[in-house]
Amino acid sequence: MKKVLITGAAGFLGSHLCDKFIQMDYKVIAMDNLITGDLKNIEHLFKLKNFTFYEHDVTTFVHIPGKLDYILHFASPASPIDYLKIPIQTLKVGSLGTHNLLGLAKEKKATILIASTSEVYGDPLVHPQNEDYLGNVNTIGPRGVYDEAKRFQESLTMAYHTYHKLETRIARIFNTYGPRMRLNDGRVVPAFIGQSLRGEDLTVFGDGLQTRSFCYVDDLIDGICKLLFSDYVNPVNIGNPNEITILDFAKEIIRLTNTDQKIIYKPLPVDDPMQRQPDITRAKTILGWEPMTTRQEGLLKTLAYFKSLSNQDLYKSEHRSFES
Ligand code: NAD
Ligand code: UDP
């Protein structure tokens, strides 16, 4: 039986990866320090004999007994609100955490995939973004802690590949959404859906003409698996090229939730990228992957999930303690 370590396992994407690898009959070792994740996302797996959970901060030494075939390194705060609140931990998990996991992969002769991001392109001057674009990142701006941690993560991963001949994969993930996103993590999909369900106005930042391209989580997980099992070491964009302005997206959520909420405008956060759309030619050509879920289908599934939450969850404000 193959064995996989998934870091960030109690988070949005990590928990879906745990489900996927359990379905594929792997022994899954899940690791998380719960700084932005929630055990509720994986508690249904706790009874399974092929599933083990370690509460552990990957910025400290990571020990896993026995063999390991694959590592999926998904631990990192991922929403702008989170990494603004915990900037040092964000830098540490992308750098020190990645170093520990690359060291573990080398020791175990495991293949490692790291979760990078479209944020390596910053506020892009090239559109759509292909993997050869080198990016436009403000190193000392509020998003720099995330963007630069991820850029360093890619460099370190590539160095382990060239110097130690480690089997490495780099996924550049574009905005992904779906069930198990935290309702209050500030990302636009849970923000707009939560506001609609609570009967609040939708908060569009800036004039709303900035664009994003949203990928449904099942498509993303499929792309990650195809990349992991390929032999391709350069970065690959994984995302859905269907681009929309945030203003149109707000109107779409109002239509979909059948509410008559108003749109209100709030200031645009510093360094908020004005446009984002993945060029997925590489993923199509090398992995034979492209997203299959329309935004309408994906949003309906996501809406059903948020509707299934208790009123207590829906109205809960974020009061996590983020001390390190
Ligand atoms: P998330 O916040 O839901 O999950 C991240 C998980 O990592 C959380 O459970 C958190 O507790 C854990 N974690 C953070 N620091 C840790 C540490 N030091 N040790 C152990 N665990 C730690 O976020 P997500 O959306 O699931 O993102 C997962 C990964 O995918 C991140 O690396 C993120 O940068 C990347 N990514 C996500 C998106 C997206 O749209 N969701 C886009 C680009 C990249
Ligand atoms: N956004 C918005 N209202 C909100 C939350 C986000 O208009 O309540 C905007 C945000 O300014 C950005 C886009 O939606 O332009 C996507 O934001 P998100 O935090 O989801 O991701 P990222 O900026 O990292 O792509």
Side-chain angles (χ1 to χ4, degrees), residues 22-58:
I22 286 287
Q23 273 164 25
M24 292 194 297
D25 222 15
Y26 277 63
K27 195 166 171 37
V28 173
I29 312 290
M31 187 171 281
D32 204 296
N33 69 350
L34 305 179
I35 193 164
T36 63
D38 194 329
L39 281 184
K40 271 192 202 153
N41 291 334
I42 46 172
E43 66 187 0
H44 58 287
L45 300 172
F46 275 52
K47 58 183 181 301
L48 304 179
K49 68 176 190 324
N50 292 338
F51 184 80
T52 309
F53 176 71
Y54 292 111
E55 184 171 341
H56 181 73
D57 180 344
V58 299

Side-chain angles (χ1 to χ4, degrees), residues 148-190:
E148 290 301 335
K150 292 292 186 179
R151 289 169 69 95
F152 177 82
Q153 179 182 53
E154 289 197 4
S155 304
L156 192 60
T157 301
M158 201 43 94
Y160 265 72
H161 173 71
T162 47
Y163 189 76
H164 290 304
K165 311 286 173 237
L166 193 66
E167 282 292 344
T168 56
R169 313 283 179 261
I170 299 174
R172 287 191 183 150
I173 302 170
F174 283 64
N175 296 64
T176 302
Y177 69 98
R180 300 190 192 147
M181 291 189 97
R182 225 166 72 235
L183 201 51
N184 296 313
D185 80 0
R187 287 187 273 194
V188 71
V189 176

Side-chain angles (χ1 to χ4, degrees), residues 105-168:
K106 179 167 149 275
E107 170 70 23
K108 303 283 186 185
K109 299 185 172 50
T111 299
I112 180 168
L113 181 146
I114 57 130
S116 186
T117 166
S118 51
E119 284 283 323
V120 300
Y121 303 123
D123 189 3
L125 305 175
V126 161
H127 195 74
Q129 296 80 54
N130 69 33
E131 292 85 347
D132 295 328
Y133 177 51
L134 301 182
N136 175 38
V137 171
N138 177 3
T139 57
I140 56 166
R143 300 174 86 105
V145 295
Y146 181 66
D147 302 5
E148 290 301 335
K150 292 292 186 179
R151 289 169 69 95
F152 177 82
Q153 179 182 53
E154 289 197 4
S155 304
L156 192 60
T157 301
M158 201 43 94
Y160 265 72
H161 173 71
T162 47
Y163 189 76
H164 290 304
K165 311 286 173 237
L166 193 66
E167 282 292 344
T168 56

